[in-house]
Amino acid sequence: MADLYEQITPPQQRKAPSGQWKLLVLLAIGLILLLLCIVPVARILGHQYGYKRFVSALSTQTYQCYYQDNLRAEVDGTSLRITGDNAYVVYNAISALGPGKLPGNPPQETPDAVLYYGDEAMMKLWSVALSQADRRPSGVYVEFDGPEGDFSYIINGKDMSYFSAALSPEKNPAWEE
């Protein structure tokens, strides 16, 4: 029993428990909250920056196609030579409607329209259903592959019928090589 009493430390000689673990827990919680605030903002800013680069590249491609008359579109199995004015209808709609929504995975179906900007760039357009929270029941999924980079997003301000008017066989001649 004598050994048992020697192992007990008197209250005045005991060390107070360290508060380091509490500090580490608070620091971890603060870091998680900071990340939860920064990541969505960074993603949106990255989307905005990518959209500006995309519109700049699309502007360059549209300008070149306007003067070279080499914008080809595949719409409903038909190959069309898109006129310069209709090329600008597509460009103006995309630039005026803004960056739209962040995209998910591209649709697995065949695109409703594929635009070939000479040999340099390609844009695919799909009609997609939007969520019930959006103003419209459908929008347009845009995927652009160009020399300056790739970009995709969802236009929720217009549906595919707006673009179909500018990409119709009635307003554009057939592509003949």
Side-chain angles (χ1 to χ4, degrees):
M1 275 296 225
D3 292 335
L4 184 63
Y5 286 111
E6 290 174 2
Q7 293 177 0
I8 297 176
T9 308
Q12 56 273 33
Q13 293 179 352
R14 291 185 195 156
K15 289 185 183 178
S18 170
Q20 270 188 326
W21 69 272
K22 290 180 185 176
L23 180 64
L24 290 175
V25 168
L26 288 175
L27 188 61
I29 291 171
L31 184 61
I32 290 171
L33 289 175
L34 184 65
L35 285 175
L36 288 175
C37 293
I38 289 176
V39 168
V41 172
R43 187 170 181 219
I44 290 170
L45 290 175
H47 179 69
Q48 290 279 349
Y49 176 72
Y51 174 75
K52 287 178 183 179
R53 284 189 21 228
F54 157 64
V55 169
S56 176
L58 183 61
S59 173
T60 301
Q61 295 298 322
T62 303
Y63 175 79
Q64 290 173 356
C65 288
Y66 183 83
Y67 287 104
Q68 294 173 3
D69 196 31
N70 66 349
L71 177 58
R72 180 171 61 97
E74 294 289 330
V75 181
D76 295 328
T78 306
S79 190
L80 302 171
R81 181 179 302 277
I82 304 301
T83 66
D85 291 337
N86 287 326
Y88 271 102
V89 167
V90 172
Y91 167 75
N92 288 334
I94 286 175
S95 62
L97 292 171
K101 295 173 61 171
L102 293 169
N105 294 325
Q108 298 301 315
E109 303 90 36
T110 303
D112 294 316
V114 180
L115 286 75
Y116 298 95
Y117 291 85
D119 294 334
E120 295 186 25
M122 176 176 60
M123 183 166 53
K124 297 177 184 177
L125 304 171
W126 287 270
S127 180
V128 293
L130 298 175
S131 67
Q132 292 179 356
D134 292 309
R135 299 178 304 206
R136 302 179 153 279
S138 66
V140 180
Y141 188 101
V142 177
E143 183 178 270
F144 183 81
D145 299 320
E148 295 87 3
D150 302 338
F151 186 75
S152 60
Y153 74 111
I154 297 174
I155 296 173
N156 57 351
K158 296 283 182 185
D159 58 12
M160 193 61 197
S161 65
Y162 184 78
F163 294 99
S164 297
L167 302 174
S168 69
E170 292 81 30
K171 292 188 176 184
N172 300 289
W175 182 270
E176 298 173 9
E177 294 193 30

